[in-house]
């Protein structure tokens, strides 16, 4: 079970997820220490391993920095559930083996602090707090394959060795 | 059914006769742009995965820009990794510090951008090159790594939105104002997953430099790519700048190509625009925001750091003194030299501006002009998110070089038309 940290906001951008001033490194551990820093200075204190971020539309807009995904992965965020994602961020998530969950109306279906379970296979979120079952549209097959393999390069490695 | 420029380029790159929006294609990549923030991680990933190879070194163009010359030890390590790799892999098109410039200004200027080609870069503003009737888009480090190693990437063919730019730009109004108006109308995700194609008579009055300002900011509307058709202005620029591989294919959108939407902007009635904090879509005509006190003016970046921009800014600043910290950063060494040769550097210096060597630096809050808490900057860059140029409590106001220059003189947001 994971706790949901809900940000009722659209356009949360990569500068907020990992500010550009920290891009002088690609060390995931360092990046993790600044995850979401410009959005919520308390985030890292609140977030336990496997917790989820829930947000409005256009999550991850702005810079192409994959550092944003690495900092989320480094901070052990379990998943991001957003009403929609910015294109490059969405693609980066898949390439890093980090499942981006697109869920219309997410910020109204999940409240801050709710306990949720995600079944990626079935495309279902069980909201234990509100006792609801929420369906989301699973990734297309080819993207799912990349996520399953652990990321794009792992996928290339695997397909090359076939 | 006809195809748009974007569809035609992706079809060619995928070896297909026809594609439609939504199709997934494996596209051959013609040019891969590599800089100091996103490429070193890509190199490390390739090494770690035992895929340490370069599919075709001649498709790769390397320039450090974000933190060059190195601003601290960590960025020095990034630059070193990039440098070692470029040399080890025999990258011919490598621009080391001294020759390096802001990527999206440098690549066209050095003749690496050709119509009809597919260009990717580990940088969201890679969409800039679409001004040359090319397909170009930004990607992250893993995609970059995959493209370096395999020479191909998958793409979902985007549907195209059409933007008709009618009329002619008035005095003191520039292509920056046009794109700020377009983003104001559709929002920062108005073109999500879409291609933005710009057409119309107003383009005839715009140089390639001015057009690049428009396609540069396609990503600020969420667009996958921005594109402008080929014409005599494109040809003249290419004749001057292309070095090798002077052949290219010109694609045009068919008369019966399908556009998901059409937005018309009357450039004749447009006013100078300023995008207020903290979104590029918060555009306001200067009349509604003039007088707001600023602490810094920044003229530079891949959006507006080209020679034409400095000519415009210097024209306004000449013979006057700036009232606020004003940082002027030519985007490439060539532009830097032109600024000196044309006497623009002297004008900026005499007015009390900082005239810097090429770098991204302050545009992304890296170095060379960081904002303190509570400070406001009028900037010719493309993004005004929270903390973009420094403290999360600072504010960035996006504007044209003319508006930034006029504002530098008065110390407040200022309509440039009174200085023209
Ligand atoms: S000038 Fe600014 S927007 Fe352009 S590439 Fe550099 S950091 Fe990015």
């Amino acid at each position: 079970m994971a706790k949901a940290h809900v940000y009722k906001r659209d356009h949360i951008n990569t500068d907020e997820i990992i500010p550009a001033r920290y891009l002088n490194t690609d060390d995931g551990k360092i990046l993790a220490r600044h995850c979401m820093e410009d959005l919520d200075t308390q985030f890292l204190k609140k977030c336990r391993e496997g917790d989820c971020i829930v947000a409005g539309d256009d999550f991850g807009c702005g810079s192409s920095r994959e550092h944003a995904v690495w900092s989320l992965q480094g901070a052990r965020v379990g998943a991001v559930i957003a009403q929609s994602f910015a294109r490059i961020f969405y693609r980066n998530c898949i390439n890093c083996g980090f499942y981006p969950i697109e869920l219309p109306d997410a910020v109204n279906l999940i409240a801050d602090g709710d306990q949720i379970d995600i079944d990626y296979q079935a495309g279902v979120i069980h909201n234990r707090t509100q006792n609801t079952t929420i369906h989301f549209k699973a990734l297309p097959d080819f993207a799912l394959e990349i996520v399953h393999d652990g990321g794009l390069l792992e996928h290339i490695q695997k397909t090359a060795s076939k | 059914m006809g195809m748009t420029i974007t569809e035609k380029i992706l079809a060619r790159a995928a070896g297909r006769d026809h594609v439609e929006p939504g199709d997934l294609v494996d596209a051959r990549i013609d040019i891969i742009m590599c800089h100091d923030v996103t490429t070193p991680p890509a190199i490390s990933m390739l090494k770690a995965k035992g895929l340490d190879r370069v599919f075709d070194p001649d498709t790769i163009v390397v320039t450090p820009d974000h933190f060059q010359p190195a601003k601290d030890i960590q960025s020095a390590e990034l630059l070193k990794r990039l440098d070692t790799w470029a040399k080890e892999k025999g990258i011919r098109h490598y621009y080391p510090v001294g020759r390096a410039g802001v990527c999206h200004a440098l690549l066209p200027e050095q003749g690496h951008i050709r119509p009809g080609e597919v260009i990717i870069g580990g940088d969201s503003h890679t969409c800039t090159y679409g001004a040359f009737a090319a397909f170009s888009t930004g990607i992250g480090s893993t995609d970059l790594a995959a493209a370096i190693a395999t020479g191909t990437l998958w793409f979902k063919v985007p549907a195209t939105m059409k933007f008709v730019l009618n009329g002619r730009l008035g005095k003191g109004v520039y292509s920056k104002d046009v794109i700020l108006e377009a983003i104001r109308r559709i929002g920062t995700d108005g073109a999500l997953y879409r291609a933005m194609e710009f057409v119309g008579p107003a383009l005839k009055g715009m140089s390639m430099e001015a057009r690049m300002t428009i396609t540069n900011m396609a990503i600020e509307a969420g667009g996958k790519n921005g594109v402008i058709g080929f014409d005599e202005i494109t040809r003249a620029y290419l004749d001057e700048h292309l070095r090798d591989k002077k052949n290219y294919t010109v694609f045009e959108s068919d008369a019966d190509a399908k556009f998901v939407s059409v937005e018309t902007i009357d450039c004749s009635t447009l006013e100078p625009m300023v995008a207020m904090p903290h979104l590029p879509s918060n555009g306001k005509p200067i009349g509604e925001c003039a007088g707001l006190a600023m602490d810094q003016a920044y003229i530079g970046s891949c959006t507006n750091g080209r020679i034409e921009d400095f000519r415009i800014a210097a024209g306004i600043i000449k013979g006057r003194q700036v009232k606020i910290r004003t940082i002027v950063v030519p985007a490439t060494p060539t532009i830097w030299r032109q600024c000196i040769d044309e006497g623009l550097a002297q004008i900026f210096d005499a007015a009390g501006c900082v005239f810097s060597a090429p770098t991204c630096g302050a545009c992304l809050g890296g170095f060379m002009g960081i904002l303190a808490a509570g400070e406001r900057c009028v900037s010719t860059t493309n993004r005004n998110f929270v903390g973009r140029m420094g403290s999360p409590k600072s504010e960035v106001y996006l504007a044209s070089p003319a508006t930034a220059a006029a504002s530098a003189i008065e110390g407040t947001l200022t309509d440039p038309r009174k200085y023209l």
Side-chain angles (χ1 to χ4, degrees), chain A residues 41-87:
Chain A
T41 48
Q42 299 306 306
F43 176 73
L44 289 175
K45 285 201 196 109
K46 299 192 289 207
C47 183
R48 298 266 168 279
E49 179 163 357
D51 280 4
C52 297
I53 292 173
V54 178
D57 282 312
D58 199 26
F59 188 90
C61 63
S63 148
S64 67
R65 66 190 69 154
E66 209 161 299
H67 307 62
V69 184
W70 303 333
S71 82
L72 290 165
Q73 288 180 308
R76 302 184 186 259
V77 171
V80 177
I81 303 167
Q83 296 182 172
S84 64
F85 288 92
R87 187 190 69 82

Side-chain angles (χ1 to χ4, degrees), chain B residues 190-243:
Chain B
L192 196 58
Y193 287 92
R194 305 270 196 246
M196 299 169 78
E197 184 170 332
F198 298 90
V199 302
L203 287 167
K204 294 282 164 243
M206 293 183 200
S207 65
M208 287 315 296
E209 284 80 357
R211 294 175 184 188
M212 281 190 260
T213 304
I214 291 182
T215 46
N216 174 268
M217 289 189 74
I219 180 69
E220 305 310 331
K224 181 171 200 152
N225 64 309
V227 69
I228 293 175
F230 182 92
D231 65 7
E232 281 314 307
I233 297 169
T234 327
R235 185 198 307 278
Y237 185 100
L238 292 169
D239 285 348
E240 191 184 331
H241 292 266
L242 283 191
R243 294 188 181 170

Side-chain angles (χ1 to χ4, degrees), chain A residues 24 26 66 91 154 157, chain B residues 49 72 81 142-143 154:
Chain A
N24 54 1
D26 57 348
E66 209 161 299
R91 198 176 164 112
E154 291 77 1
Q157 263 179 323
Chain B
K49 299 281 184 299
D72 56 16
R81 275 157 67 193
T142 302
D143 271 327
W154 65 268

Side-chain angles (χ1 to χ4, degrees), chain B residues 65-66 102-104 123 125 301-303 360 363-364 382 388:
Chain B
D65 57 2
H66 281 55
V102 174
C103 51
H104 310 310
D123 190 282
H125 295 104
S301 86
C302 58
T303 318
C360 289
C363 169
L364 80 159
N382 45 39
R388 174 67 179 178

